[in-house]
C-alpha cells in the first residue's frame, strides 16, 4: 500500500486524545479505566481506515474495541469515522503492533482481529507477517486464556501460511471458510479492502482460532 503523506495528521491526532489514546502504556492492565466499564475488550491489529472496527463497535455496544494502526496518514481516516460516530466503546491507538505487550497485559484482551494484513510474500520478510509465530506469542501474552484470533484475507498464500502457523503453534481451529461471501456465515462486517477485493471477484478466506491454555 502506497501511503500519501499528510503533514497535518500528527496535529489532528494530538488534538483528539479522547479518541486516540496518548501514552497507552499508562493503561496496561487497567483498560477498563479508559472505557469506564468492565466489558470484554477486542482489538483490530492494522485497523486501516477504521470501517470494520467502527461498525463492530456500533453493532456490539456491550464490547469495547480498540483499533491499532501505525501510520498517521491512515489512522486519521479512522479518526474521522470515530469523531462522526462518537462511540463510547471504541478507541484508537497509533502504535506499532510489534510492541503490543508494552500497552496490554495478560488477560487485557479477549479477541484479536487480523483483517487483510500485508502478506509480505517474500520469504525474507516472513517475520513481518502478523500470523508469524512471534506475533502469535505476542497475542498470547495479552489475551485471556482460550482467547481468540479472527483472521480474514483475500490472499490464498497468506491464508495457507497462517493456517500452518496456527497449527504449529498449537491453536485450535474453530471456524474455516474458503469463500466467505458464498458461505452461510452471518454477521460479517466488511473492511474497505474486503469490499474492493470482493467486487473484483476475489475469494475471501476467513478462520477463527483459539489458544488452548
Amino acid at each position: 500500500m502506497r501511503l500519501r503523506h499528510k503533514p497535518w495528521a500528527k496535529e489532528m491526532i494530538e488534538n483528539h486524545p479522547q479518541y486516540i489514546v496518548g501514552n497507552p502504556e499508562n493503561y496496561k492492565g487497567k483498560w477498563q479505566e479508559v472505557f469506564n466499564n468492565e466489558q470484554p475488550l477486542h482489538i483490530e491489529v492494522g485497523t486501516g481506515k477504521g470501517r470494520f472496527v467502527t461498525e463492530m463497535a456500533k453493532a456490539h455496544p456491550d464490547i469495547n474495541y480498540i483499533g491499532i494502526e501505525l501510520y498517521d496518514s491512515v489512522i486519521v481516516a479512522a479518526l474521522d469515522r470515530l469523531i462522526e460516530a462518537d462511540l463510547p466503546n471504541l478507541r484508537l491507538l497509533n502504535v506499532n503492533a510489534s510492541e503490543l505487550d508494552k500497552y496490554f497485559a495478560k488477560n487485557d484482551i479477549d479477541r484479536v482481529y487480523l483483517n487483510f494484513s500485508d502478506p509480505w510474500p517474500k520469504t525474507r520478510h516472513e517475520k513481518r507477517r502478523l500470523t508469524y509465530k512471534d506475533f502469535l506469542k505476542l497475542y498470547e501474552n495479552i489475551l485471556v486464556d482460550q482467547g481468540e484470533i479472527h483472521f480474514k484475507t483475500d490472499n490464498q498464500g497468506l491464508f495457507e501460511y497462517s493456517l500452518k502457523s496456527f497449527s504449529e503453534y498449537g491453536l485450535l481451529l474453530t471456524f474455516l471458510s474458503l469463500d466467505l461471501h458464498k458461505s452461510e456465515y452471518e454477521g460479517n462486517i466488511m473492511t474497505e479492502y474486503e469490499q474492493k477485493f470482493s467486487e473484483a471477484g476475489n475469494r475471501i478466506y476467513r478462520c477463527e482460532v483459539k489458544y488452548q491454555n
Side-chain angles (χ1 to χ4, degrees):
M1 178 177 64
R2 185 173 181 176
L3 300 178
R4 181 181 299 172
H5 180 58
K6 298 176 181 177
W8 45 266
K10 188 168 292 293
E11 182 178 358
M12 183 179 178
I13 292 167
E14 292 172 351
N15 289 340
H16 293 87
Q18 70 273 41
Y19 298 121
I20 298 185
V21 180
N23 300 313
E25 62 276 7
N26 293 341
Y27 299 102
K28 183 175 180 176
K30 47 186 179 182
W31 281 94
Q32 62 270 26
E33 293 182 7
V34 172
F35 295 97
N36 201 28
N37 61 48
E38 295 188 5
Q39 296 180 167
L41 179 55
H42 296 181
I43 63 173
E44 183 186 19
V45 180
T47 204
K49 296 179 180 179
R51 174 178 174 179
F52 174 84
V53 75
T54 301
E55 294 304 316
M56 288 293 286
K58 288 179 182 178
H60 304 284
D62 56 335
I63 297 172
N64 295 328
Y65 292 87
I66 294 177
I68 296 166
E69 176 58 51
L70 173 62
Y71 299 107
D72 294 358
S73 56
V74 177
I75 202 171
V76 288
L79 177 56
D80 277 335
R81 286 184 182 273
L82 181 48
I83 291 171
E84 181 178 354
D86 195 25
L87 298 167
N89 63 326
L90 174 59
R91 297 291 187 275
L92 302 172
L93 291 188
N94 186 204
V95 300
N96 193 322
S98 66
E99 300 177 333
L100 287 176
D101 53 358
K102 286 187 178 180
Y103 313 112
F104 301 103
K106 178 64 178 173
N107 297 321
D108 273 351
I109 309 300
D110 294 84
R111 183 179 297 170
V112 172
Y113 289 99
L114 304 174
N115 293 315
F116 300 89
S117 310
D118 192 325
W120 294 106
K122 295 181 180 179
T123 302
R124 69 175 184 271
H125 292 151
E126 179 187 8
K127 293 182 178 181
R128 299 186 184 184
R129 298 171 194 163
L130 292 182
T131 53
Y132 180 66
K133 62 182 179 180
D134 288 0
F135 277 103
L136 299 184
K137 178 63 176 176
L138 187 61
Y139 307 144
E140 184 177 22
N141 288 342
I142 64 175
L143 280 163
V144 298
D145 289 345
Q146 298 188 30
E148 300 177 348
I149 298 172
H150 290 196
F151 176 60
K152 280 197 292 187
T153 183
D154 72 313
N155 188 294
Q156 182 178 349
L158 178 62
F159 193 69
E160 292 173 353
Y161 169 87
S162 299
L163 289 177
K164 183 173 183 288
S165 183
F166 294 150
S167 176
E168 290 177 349
Y169 198 85
L171 294 169
L172 177 66
L173 180 66
T174 58
F175 175 87
L176 175 69
S177 176
L178 301 180
D179 197 347
L180 180 63
H181 292 184
K182 291 185 179 179
S183 73
E184 297 181 357
Y185 181 81
E186 297 181 357
N188 181 53
I189 290 177
M190 288 198 290
T191 73
E192 292 89 352
Y193 279 120
E194 183 173 356
Q195 182 171 353
K196 176 182 177 181
F197 294 151
S198 180
E199 289 175 352
N202 294 24
R203 182 182 296 188
I204 305 301
Y205 303 90
R206 186 179 187 278
C207 70
E208 298 175 10
V209 292
K210 179 187 293 187
Y211 287 86
Q212 301 184 79
N213 307 72

